[in-house]
């Protein structure tokens, strides 16, 4: 299909066109990459601005149950929802924590929802970069909310936060007063903490856990982009549905406040710059590894560095000089 035709169909909200565009974006074939970039150009500025929600949580915390219930609730409010995943395990082993087909069964049959598992790429960075392009495709296709899900492993949370307007952390109720070993860095990027499973016997524990995190959040930080009362910790139950509507209202009011105060726009601008720089960085690395000549030179200089006949900095200079020569 012509790129223009594909762009037109994506903009018209055709699911098959969107799926096809995503396959294109995820492909590493150079001709596909070229077409994907052209498509991105054609779609730039199309569609409404979706609300991009990042959602992180360890396996078992209830992410798929939450997305199923939350996503269904949104579609009942006449919103179209896209669900994407950034799965670090899929890049390492080919196996995926988030790709399991039986997840979100109801939502996957919902015509107002679009679910796409994590792309399998060799590196997490690659997965994240492609996902970020897929977010833009979903937005062009008119989805109102794009949920980007990830497991709390390694760098994946930071990468998802870099493509979200709001970053949500889903936690489970925890006994005692230990803060579940949540990394400080994650607490610093979370816009909202949702303590899930606040139902049945777990409800009192969830309430206590929530209070602990609310306290920790307040001690930890105050950012200009957080209005009074944020970052916020709340309890929800993905199973009973309790708290989901309230959580959604809080997300909307935070998003609106940030729009009214310029933080939303600034965040998106910063993210666009980040992804541009990331593409350049990855492009440079690809040049090093794709050319047999460059690889040979890397190996040769690496050998000299290893046997001490050349300093690492000098070898790097020489290598970078070659890149200059190549592009000139
Ligand atoms: P994920 O690995 O983060 O996607 O977690 P799942 O959604 O697969 O849920 C893991 C387990 O927790 C399942 O047995 C769910 O039924 C259960 N679970 C999820 N949400 C809730 C909840 O709100 N309340 C209770 N009681 N259990 C839940």
């Amino acid at each position: 299909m012509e790129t223009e035709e594909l762009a037109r169909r994506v903009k018209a909200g055709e699911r098959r066109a969107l799926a096809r565009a995503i396959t294109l974006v995820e492909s590493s074939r150079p001709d596909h990459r070229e077409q994907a970039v052209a498509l991105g150009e054609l779609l730039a500025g199309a569609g409404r601005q979706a609300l991009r929600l990042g959602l992180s949580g360890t396996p078992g915390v209830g992410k798929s149950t939450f997305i199923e219930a939350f996503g269904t609730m949104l579609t009942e409010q006449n919103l179209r929802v896209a669900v994407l995943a950034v799965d670090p395990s899929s890049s390492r082993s080919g196996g995926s924590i988030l790709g399991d087909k039986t997840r979100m069964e109801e939502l996957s049959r919902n015509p107002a929802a679009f679910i796409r598992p994590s792309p399998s790429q060799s590196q997490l960075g690659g997965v994240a970069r492609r996902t970020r392009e897929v977010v833009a495709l979903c937005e062009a296709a008119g989805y109102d909310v794009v949920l980007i899900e990830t497991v709390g492993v390694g760098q994946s949370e930071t990468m998802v936060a870099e493509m979200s307007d709001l970053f949500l952390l889903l936690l489970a109720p925890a006994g005692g007063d230990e803060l579940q070993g949540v990394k400080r860095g994650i607490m610093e990027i979370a816009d909202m903490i949702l303590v899930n499973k606040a139902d049945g016997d777990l409800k009192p524990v969830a309430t206590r856990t929530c209070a602990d995190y609310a306290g920790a959040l307040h001690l930890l930080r105050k950012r200009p982009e957080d209005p009074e009362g944020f970052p916020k910790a709340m309890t929800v139950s993905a199973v009973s549905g309790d708290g989901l509507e309230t959580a959604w209202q809080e997300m909307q009011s935070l998003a609106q406040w940030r729009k009214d105060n310029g933080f939303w726009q600034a965040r998106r601008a910063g993210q666009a710059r980040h992804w541009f720089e990331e593409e350049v960085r990855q492009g440079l690395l690809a040049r090093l590894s794709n050319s047999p000549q460059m690889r040979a030179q890397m190996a040769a200089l690496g050998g000299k560095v290893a046997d001490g006949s050349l300093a690492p900095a000098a070898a790097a200079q020489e290598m970078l000089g070659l890149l200059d020569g190549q592009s000139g």
Side-chain angles (χ1 to χ4, degrees):
M1 198 188 298
E2 287 282 320
T3 313
E4 282 82 9
E5 177 64 9
L6 187 58
R8 195 190 60 73
R9 292 190 185 189
V10 168
K11 275 193 252 189
E14 285 182 32
R15 293 172 74 94
R16 284 181 55 197
L18 176 60
R20 187 163 175 170
I22 292 176
T23 305
L24 200 62
V25 156
E26 288 175 354
S27 166
S28 50
R29 259 174 53 181
D31 58 325
H32 285 171
R33 193 88 283 273
E34 219 167 279
Q35 204 189 343
V37 171
L39 182 68
E41 283 283 277
L42 288 170
L43 293 175
R48 289 153 291 169
Q49 280 204 333
L51 177 62
R52 306 172 182 173
L53 295 176
L55 177 75
S56 170
T58 48
V61 71
K63 287 181 301 302
S64 33
T65 314
F66 174 84
I67 293 172
E68 172 108 323
F70 186 72
T72 303
M73 180 191 80
L74 295 181
T75 62
E76 283 162 0
Q77 301 181 13
N78 289 323
L79 296 169
R80 293 173 71 215
V81 181
V83 180
L84 313 173
V86 171
D87 185 349
S89 65
S90 76
S91 50
R92 264 185 246 122
S93 59
S96 164
I97 304 176
L98 300 176
D100 180 352
K101 286 220 166 52
T102 60
R103 302 171 80 237
M104 304 174 229
E105 230 171 308
E106 190 189 334
L107 197 61
S108 64
R109 285 193 304 265
N110 188 324
F114 181 88
I115 300 180
R116 184 84 181 188
S118 186
S120 47
Q121 300 246 340
S122 55
Q123 291 173 341
L124 178 58
V127 173
R129 277 156 53 231
R130 297 291 82 89
T131 305
R132 133 97 205 142
E133 289 180 53
V134 174
V135 171
L137 289 176
C138 293
E139 201 159 58
Y143 284 87
D144 303 290
V145 177
V146 181
L147 256 158
I148 313 141
E149 174 193 14
T150 194
V151 181
V153 177
Q155 287 296 303
S156 72
E157 286 157 318
T158 323
M159 288 175 176
V160 168
E162 279 288 358
M163 57 182 98
S164 328
D165 300 314
L166 302 181
F167 185 69
L168 317 172
L169 181 60
L170 201 64
L171 294 174
D177 53 7
E178 92 274 19
L179 294 182
Q180 291 178 52
V182 175
K183 288 162 283 178
R184 193 190 162 102
I186 303 308
M187 296 280 285
E188 277 163 357
I189 57 174
D191 292 299
M192 222 185 272
I193 285 181
L194 302 174
V195 181
N196 190 33
K197 310 194 184 183
D199 50 49
D201 292 346
L202 286 170
K203 193 166 182 175
V205 192
T207 307
R208 215 164 40 238
T209 305
C210 182
D212 289 344
Y213 277 98
L217 280 173
H218 286 286
L219 283 180
L220 194 64
R221 70 166 209 229
K222 179 71 194 155
R223 306 181 304 185
E225 62 266 42
D226 294 326
E228 195 56 42
F230 283 91
K232 192 162 271 188
M234 307 176 64
T235 57
V236 294
S237 166
V239 164
S240 76
D242 280 356
L244 296 185
E245 180 58 45
T246 313
W248 172 233
Q249 279 164 15
E250 294 289 358
M251 289 173 213
Q252 286 175 289
S253 83
L254 176 57
Q256 193 55 51
W257 186 89
R258 286 197 182 155
K259 277 181 183 166
D260 294 343
N261 291 278
F263 292 111
W264 171 285
Q265 299 80 345
R267 179 162 169 152
R268 285 214 171 181
Q271 288 176 344
R273 192 185 290 273
H274 168 86
W275 291 107
F276 155 65
E277 290 172 359
E278 195 56 30
E279 284 293 327
V280 172
R281 209 171 290 131
Q282 294 304 324
L284 284 174
L285 289 176
R287 275 207 214 164
L288 284 177
S289 61
N290 290 348
S291 137
Q293 238 174 322
M294 287 283 165
R295 275 208 306 274
Q297 193 61 16
M298 275 294 267
L301 287 170
K304 287 189 187 174
V305 169
D307 72 18
S309 59
L310 193 61
Q317 287 278 9
E318 197 171 316
M319 200 62 226
L320 293 171
L322 282 175
L323 271 182
D324 287 344
Q326 196 192 40
S327 60

